């Protein structure tokens, strides 16, 4: 195709429209070549990351834990009987999830637990993430855990300089050292955490079908509890902290994994 475009471009007596079409095809072809190279690089990077994840879990010590963090799509209010006014204008409730993986008594098994944090604050920024992480690190980790391997995707609230700058402070604030901080590339497929997000949506829809209503963080947690809860998952309602305690001024951070 590239050769054919070059031959057409070399022809004489081309009309302006024909020349524009050739230029457009040439630009599209150049973009396709660049995207293909990026995609091949992406596949290699994902393979390397997957291998690194496996090695981390296999080499993890008993006082360490691996935490994967992600946002769920906003949970919209749902009512058993819903009129037109209640249907439109829904703002939604934010839900950030943490998947915790640690060693168990069996060398071939891992302990896996989930913590979902619900808030009526719909701004999903670094401060909301840091507040949830503080509650998790200070109150919800097993007593014998004092080191964390943290992983998230490349969303701005996770990859921001603020999130990276507080990394050495967790040990001072909570007694837990954030040993590694990884921001993974996108397109890695669905994880177990995403699967539990789907389970949450199913449970909430089932509650509404049975006559239940939920419209904010508190009623969502109550709705899940009324259905019997979700195995290995705890729910927490919180309010993000946005004040000078989280303020940082960092121009650029590159090496932040250790």
């Amino acid at each position: 195709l590239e050769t054919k475009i070059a031959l057409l471009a070399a022809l004489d007596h081309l009309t302006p429209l024909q020349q524009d079409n050739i230029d457009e095809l040439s630009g599209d072809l150049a973009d396709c070549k660049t995207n293909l190279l990026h995609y091949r690089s992406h596949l290699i990077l994902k393979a390397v990351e997957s291998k690194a994840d496996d090695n981390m879990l296999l080499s993890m010590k008993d006082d360490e834990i691996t935490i994967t963090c992600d946002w769920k799509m906003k949970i919209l209010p749902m009512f058993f009987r819903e009129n037109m006014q209640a249907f439109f204008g829904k703002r939604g409730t934010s839900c950030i999830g943490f998947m915790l993986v640690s060693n168990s008594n069996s060398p071939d098994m891992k302990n896996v637990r989930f913590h979902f944090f619900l808030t009526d604050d719909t701004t999903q920024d670094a401060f909301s993430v840091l507040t949830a992480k503080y509650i998790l690190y200070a109150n919800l980790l097993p007593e014998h855990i004092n080191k964390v391997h943290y992983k998230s995707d490349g969303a701005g609230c996770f990859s921001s300089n603020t999130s990276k700058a507080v990394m050495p402070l967790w040990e001072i604030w909570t007694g837990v050292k954030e040993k590694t901080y990884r921001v993974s590339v996108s397109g890695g497929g669905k994880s177990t955490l995403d699967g539990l997000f789907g389970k949450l949506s199913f449970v909430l829809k089932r509650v509404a079908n049975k006559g239940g209503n939920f419209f904010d963080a508190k009623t969502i947690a109550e709705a899940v509890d009324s259905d019997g809860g979700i195995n290995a998952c705890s729910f927490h309602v919180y309010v993000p902290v946005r004040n000078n305690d989280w303020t940082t001024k960092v121009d650029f951070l590159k090496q932040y994994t250790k």
Side-chain angles (χ1 to χ4, degrees):
L1 181 59
E2 188 175 21
T3 302
K4 290 182 178 179
I5 293 176
L7 291 174
L8 289 173
L11 295 177
D12 296 330
H13 310 296
L14 291 175
T15 65
L17 180 59
Q18 290 173 329
Q19 186 62 52
D20 289 343
N21 289 336
I22 291 175
D23 293 341
E24 184 176 353
L25 285 173
S26 299
D28 291 342
L29 184 62
D31 291 340
C32 290
K33 291 175 65 177
T34 301
N35 292 337
L36 179 59
L37 291 175
H38 289 170
Y39 177 67
R40 294 175 64 186
S41 301
H42 171 79
L43 293 179
I44 296 174
L45 182 56
K46 280 307 303 177
V48 172
E49 278 207 347
S50 298
K51 186 175 182 180
D53 288 339
D54 293 340
N55 291 337
M56 178 179 292
L57 290 176
L58 291 174
S59 61
M60 191 166 55
K61 298 179 180 179
D62 291 339
D63 62 345
E64 298 178 348
I65 195 168
T66 298
I67 297 179
T68 303
C69 176
D70 198 6
W71 286 101
K72 184 190 184 304
M73 292 184 64
K74 287 188 176 69
I75 303 172
L76 297 180
M78 191 175 295
F79 302 89
F80 179 64
R81 294 186 179 275
E82 189 171 75
N83 57 29
M84 193 67 67
Q85 184 178 1
F87 178 79
F88 289 104
K90 295 178 179 179
R91 189 178 184 185
T93 299
S94 295
C95 175
I96 185 170
F98 295 89
M99 179 174 70
L100 285 60
V101 182
S102 59
N103 291 337
S104 66
N105 295 329
S106 173
D108 299 327
M109 302 289 289
K110 297 291 183 182
N111 292 322
V112 181
R113 183 153 187 88
F114 300 86
H115 291 280
F116 285 1
F117 288 80
L118 303 165
T119 177
D120 296 321
D121 189 316
T122 57
T123 303
Q124 298 178 347
D125 59 3
F127 302 106
S128 188
V129 176
L130 292 175
T131 304
K133 284 179 66 175
Y134 179 85
I135 298 171
L136 178 70
Y137 287 8
N139 303 288
L140 302 175
L141 296 183
E143 293 183 358
H144 67 283
I145 296 297
N146 54 40
K147 297 182 184 66
V148 170
H149 298 280
Y150 179 83
K151 179 183 177 183
S152 64
D153 61 23
C157 57
F158 300 127
S159 60
S160 68
N161 283 339
T162 300
S163 298
K164 302 168 189 173
V166 301
M167 181 181 172
L169 300 178
W170 291 118
E171 190 171 12
I172 300 174
W173 293 336
T174 66
V176 176
K177 180 179 181 180
E178 200 167 65
K179 194 173 181 180
T180 61
Y181 188 112
R182 290 184 54 202
V183 176
S184 65
V185 297
S186 59
K190 298 300 181 182
S191 66
T192 307
L193 181 58
D194 295 296
L196 213 66
F197 284 154
K199 174 68 174 178
L200 172 59
S201 299
F202 174 79
V203 168
L204 291 175
K205 186 175 294 186
R206 182 167 59 193
V207 170
N209 289 336
K210 291 180 179 179
N213 303 315
F214 53 87
F215 47 86
D216 58 11
K218 182 180 179 181
T219 54
I220 290 172
E222 292 173 347
V224 175
D225 185 62
S226 69
D227 193 65
I230 299 177
N231 289 337
C233 185
S234 301
F235 288 81
H236 317 275
V237 178
Y238 78 108
V239 178
V241 175
R242 294 186 178 90
N243 56 30
N244 292 331
D245 291 341
W246 298 121
T247 300
T248 58
K249 181 175 176 56
V250 181
D251 294 328
F252 182 71
L253 283 176
K254 184 176 180 182
Q255 300 294 335
Y256 54 86
T257 57
K258 292 185 179 179

